[in-house]
Amino acid sequence: MTQRLGDTPSAHHPSTRRTRTAPEPVCQWRLLRSRQREPRHDRSDRDDSRDEGVAEQRIAVDADQDGPGGRLQPLREDGQPADRPERVRDLAAAMAEREYAQHPRWVWAATEDVYPRLLPRLPESRLGRCHDAKLVEPLLLAHEGRYGEPRSLGAAWARLQGLPVPEDLRLGLAEAESDAHAQDALFAPDRSRLGPGVDPLTALVAVHAEQQRRLAALPEPTRRGLRLLSAAESAGGLVAAELTYDGLPWSTEVHDALLEELLGSRPTTAQAAGGARPPKLAALAVELQDALGGRPLNPDSPGQVLRAFAEQGVSLQSTRNYLLRQVDHPAAPLLLRYKELSRIYAAHGWAWRDAWVRGGRFRPEYVVGGVVSGRWASRGGGALQIPRILRGAVVADPGWRLVVADAGQLEPRVLSALSNDPGLIRAGAAGDLYAGLAADAFGGDRARAKLGLLGAMYGQTSGEVGPLLAVLRRRFPQAMGLVEAAARTGESGGVVESRLGRLCPPPSASWQEAGFAEPSPSGELGEDRTGSAARSRGRFTRNFVIQASAADWALALIAALRRRLGEIPPGPDGARPRLVFFQHDEIVVHSPLPLTGTVAAAVAASADEARRLVFGDTPVRFPMDTHIVERYADAKDGGDAQDAEADEDEGY
DNA sequence: AACTAACGCGCC
DNA sequence: AAAGGGCGCGTTAGTT
């Protein structure tokens, strides 16, 4: 039995745990201690070989508000103090020492408040694992029927004490918390939200013990899932802070070259302030104006553009790209090109770079669990929306490479594993799931197979998808049954959950009061509107079970990969591979060239580990498309390999 | 002038 | 007949 993810023993099958737990914990304790004294890189299989049932050592951490010191409080796994708290003058050094000797799980109020300050002062090996009380709290609250309550240590402490949750935390929740984040400068500890006179370490220890108790009180299999999810979410906190700290390699030179090629030379500051466009954009604007009758036209104004098209005899509902592509008028392609370039200029041009790239690294902030499905969000710089056309600017350092890997066709594979649908499992077994689906049920038409399955996962019923759904229902009844059951649950006001037990939000109060409807602008609640709101929620819950379970898997993936990367012995110059990008189902590792093979193997092993942890003994595989490249853009085939023929395994 | 809503599009 | 999930961010257009 393997122990992965740097995780709680409870992540294992209960049967296995029971058989191992019974005999002499003391002996196991000694065994563990002696093993842990070995240098980290000499015990790369530490977690695999760790005996189950041995109490995990935890240490609560309270960093001083200012200065390098802090307090450490050893805890038992159930959260009860195991020793007296200790004040240390150099918190990072003290933690590094204990990390090496004991490999504890660090318990703190919020990784985002503590870890960024520690990172520059920690050795390259960093910390192994943690329990982030602020990330675990909402996972538990949802299971207690208190979805969306404030999650910070201050709020959790108030609930624990039976005190009213502070008003600023109760109002607007996310807003209050993010405002606090903004105004408290960079890394103000979350404990500032405790009431006056409350010892932050006392509150943390109590809240953590209570969280452990609440986890233990959950029924199986929810308990196992939520413990695993809590550990994975906490690991995500570590990864997120490290992604920001290490940064994504970004070549100003290449970015400049790309921008010049697309837009022309950069406008001066004064020109830009005066609203001047870069040369190629300005030229396009003139061309477009001429093509639309020659009157003054702001191509950025949808209203003006629509009117101009109307004067040309072209009737358009909006200026959306997919509509413009169908328009047979010389202005249409010009406008499409203008919009494409204009967006690059505005969203990822020189101004963006000035704001977000420093010292050859793009350092966005990542928001763990920022999406209700458990996907991450980002803050600043549009980290999760880097246009493909600019990915050439992500360039490895000299002597380094990027190991770019994405989980191909992740969501349909997740549906496959969730539903255990034999037909869908067979379709995905050979590699290209959509091709297998096409061969099985769509007469070899891969495009239709893909369209149908995506429609089933998103709740689409219109257009050409309708008939495809009928085929899917007949041939893949278990898979379709699962998503349709999720939709029905949502439509009737219920909640659904991910594989590991992340719950979707309940319907809003207004939705419920209105009898599953939203008031129409006129205040009427017609039958149509009632049905429309219900169906909308059905589409949400239908997709949630898949998207959130995919997020479970991805979180397990990065947690495993982080641990495995840490176990790779550094190069002779001490250089280590670092995870530098994570986007839903895709990762980028910046690695010294000689280590790239080991990194690629770690990626594959992590994907399989995530499969096992999240989906148990499913026959479904989650293959990673892995490319070792100098530039991110060279790892084409990212996302879904659909239309990009067979271009596998190049780049090695 | 400052704010908000709606839109549109980048990514998955 | 039709009614595709989740985000961040920049724009215009409308409001205060």
Side-chain angles (χ1 to χ4, degrees):
Chain A
M1 177 45 93
T2 52
Q3 170 68 37
R4 306 286 197 174
L5 253 192
D7 227 326
T8 59
S10 47
H12 297 277
H13 296 296
S15 57
T16 315
R17 189 169 74 238
R18 228 170 277 126
T19 58
R20 296 260 197 112
T21 312
E24 302 159 16
V26 176
C27 292
Q28 291 186 354
W29 173 250
R30 291 211 179 100
L31 191 66
L32 186 66
R33 287 280 297 262
S34 64
R35 201 181 290 132
Q36 283 172 336
R37 288 210 183 87
E38 298 162 29
R40 289 194 65 179
H41 58 268
D42 284 339
R43 48 189 173 98
S44 59
D45 63 344
R46 176 198 62 240
D47 280 323
D48 292 321
S49 59
R50 204 184 104 198
D51 288 40
E52 298 171 40
V54 174
E56 178 181 271
Q57 295 185 78
R58 298 188 172 213
I59 303 179
V61 182
D62 177 56
D64 288 348
Q65 196 98 351
D66 30 55
R71 284 175 299 165
L72 298 175
Q73 166 71 69
L75 302 173
R76 302 199 318 235
E77 189 167 0
D78 67 1
Q80 297 307 312
D83 206 338
R84 300 176 65 86
E86 182 187 355
R87 164 155 290 285
V88 295
R89 296 167 64 155
D90 184 339
L91 187 62
M95 291 177 73
E97 185 185 309
R98 285 160 180 76
E99 176 66 34
Y100 183 83
Q102 296 170 253
H103 190 59
R105 185 177 297 276
W106 300 101
V107 175
W108 48 40
T111 310
E112 62 177 345
D113 295 332
V114 185
Y115 195 45
R117 279 195 303 169
L118 292 173
L119 266 171
R121 297 154 52 202
L122 285 169
E124 293 288 302
S125 56
R126 300 183 174 169
L127 303 176
R129 49 204 183 146
C130 74
H131 174 109
D132 181 317
K134 190 178 178 182
L135 290 176
V136 171
E137 185 71 9
L139 301 175
L140 280 165
L141 281 170
H143 278 273
E144 293 154 359
R146 308 178 72 168
Y147 194 99
E149 294 206 19
R151 58 187 65 179
S152 64
L153 180 63
W157 169 255
R159 278 190 293 266
L160 186 53
Q161 299 296 306
L163 302 169
V165 172
E167 207 46 41
D168 58 336
L169 287 180
R170 181 149 294 290
L171 294 171
L173 311 185
E175 293 80 359
E177 290 180 351
S178 70
D179 280 357
H181 194 272
Q183 69 188 219
D184 290 357
L186 276 189
F187 307 119
D190 199 50
R191 62 186 185 183
S192 65
R193 314 197 65 73
L194 288 166
V198 181
D199 173 37
L201 187 58
T202 303
L204 171 62
V205 168
V207 164
H208 167 254
E210 177 68 2
Q211 288 181 342
Q212 291 298 85
R213 188 198 63 75
R214 291 151 74 196
L215 281 167
L218 292 167
E220 290 292 4
T222 306
R223 180 168 62 217
R224 178 214 176 251
L226 221 61
R227 278 179 167 160
L228 180 51
L229 185 57
S230 297
E233 191 92 330
S234 295
L238 296 173
V239 170
E242 289 167 0
L243 287 174
T244 302
Y245 180 75
D246 293 321
L248 181 66
W250 191 276
S251 164
T252 299
E253 293 72 25
V254 175
H255 188 206
D256 258 335
L258 283 166
L259 291 178
E260 290 233 6
E261 182 191 328
L262 294 165
L263 303 168
S265 55
R266 177 179 190 171
T268 64
T269 314
Q271 286 168 336
R277 300 182 175 94
K280 296 198 181 182
L281 208 48
L284 260 176
V286 170
E287 269 191 86
L288 182 64
Q289 184 171 303
D290 291 345
L292 285 173
R295 292 226 297 277
L297 173 78
N298 174 8
D300 293 319
S301 165
Q304 288 186 33
V305 170
L306 287 184
R307 280 191 291 277
F309 267 105
E311 285 166 16
Q312 299 286 309
V314 177
S315 158
L316 274 171
Q317 291 291 342
S318 77
T319 62
R320 291 182 191 183
N321 289 343
Y322 76 96
L323 288 175
L324 284 171
R325 277 188 217 104
Q326 300 163 18
V327 170
D328 181 24
H329 187 285
L334 290 172
L335 180 57
L336 282 168
R337 181 69 175 158
Y338 175 87
K339 292 199 328 178
E340 183 187 2
L341 295 182
S342 146
R343 184 174 174 83
I344 289 168
Y345 174 55
H348 285 94
W350 295 279
W352 171 86
R353 199 183 65 218
D354 288 348
W356 296 107
V357 178
R358 285 279 180 284
R361 294 290 188 269
F362 171 39
R363 303 173 193 277
E365 280 182 68
Y366 296 85
V367 187
V368 178
V371 182
V372 293
S373 66
R375 277 186 177 183
W376 291 12
S378 68
R379 219 167 10 218
L384 303 182
Q385 300 125 258
I386 302 171
R388 289 181 166 271
I389 198 170
L390 291 185
R391 291 185 181 184
V394 180
V395 185
D397 289 349
W400 292 60
R401 290 294 183 274
L402 302 172
V403 181
V404 179
D406 76 283
Q409 306 169 333
L410 178 59
E411 297 203 344
R413 290 177 194 282
V414 165
L415 173 57
S416 211
L418 284 175
S419 65
N420 238 342
D421 187 293
L424 205 52
I425 289 169
R426 190 172 59 245
D432 183 345
L433 186 143
Y434 295 128
L437 195 64
D440 265 21
F442 290 93
D445 188 340
R446 187 182 183 281
R448 285 174 70 236
K450 182 184 174 190
L451 203 62
L453 192 52
L454 289 176
M457 292 189 298
Y458 291 153
Q460 185 179 13
T461 54
S462 65
E464 52 182 317
V465 173
L468 305 181
L469 294 182
V471 176
L472 289 171
R473 247 180 238 116
R474 195 168 64 244
R475 302 294 290 272
F476 309 101
Q478 280 179 234
M480 295 300 285
L482 186 142
V483 293
E484 287 176 358
R488 283 194 301 274
T489 300
E491 286 172 9
S492 57
V495 295
V496 295
E497 64 180 62
S498 76
R499 176 69 170 201
L500 293 184
R502 191 189 304 268
L503 288 170
C504 82
S508 67
S510 63
W511 193 88
Q512 285 174 310
E513 282 162 17
F516 306 165
E518 292 162 352
S520 67
S522 61
E524 296 166 308
L525 292 175
E527 183 63 27
D528 282 356
R529 268 205 81 77
T530 306
S532 142
R535 280 192 292 275
S536 170
R537 186 150 196 283
R539 287 192 297 278
F540 168 64
T541 51
R542 170 195 292 263
N543 183 251
F544 183 94
V545 293
I546 299 173
Q547 186 183 118
S549 298
D552 288 348
W553 179 87
L555 212 44
L557 168 78
I558 57 168
L561 181 58
R562 177 180 185 274
R563 194 198 72 246
R564 287 173 185 271
L565 291 179
E567 290 167 355
I568 296 175
D573 51 354
R576 291 168 181 266
R578 297 292 191 198
L579 195 55
V580 291
F581 193 58
F582 168 54
Q583 183 181 36
H584 311 314
D585 61 356
E586 180 175 14
I587 58 95
V588 178
V589 177
H590 191 221
S591 169
L593 180 55
L595 300 182
T596 51
T598 313
V599 169
V603 169
S606 301
D608 201 50
E609 179 177 332
R611 170 191 63 77
R612 197 158 22 81
L613 280 170
V614 176
F615 296 107
D617 59 1
T618 177
V620 176
R621 289 297 176 271
F622 295 88
M624 302 293 288
D625 292 322
T626 303
H627 300 266
I628 298 170
V629 295
E630 289 187 66
R631 298 179 179 206
Y632 192 6
D634 298 334
K636 52 182 183 268
D637 162 13
D640 175 40
Q642 74 278 25
D643 316 303
E645 305 305 315
D647 58 353
E648 303 165 40
D649 291 357
E650 52 189 283
Y652 278 88

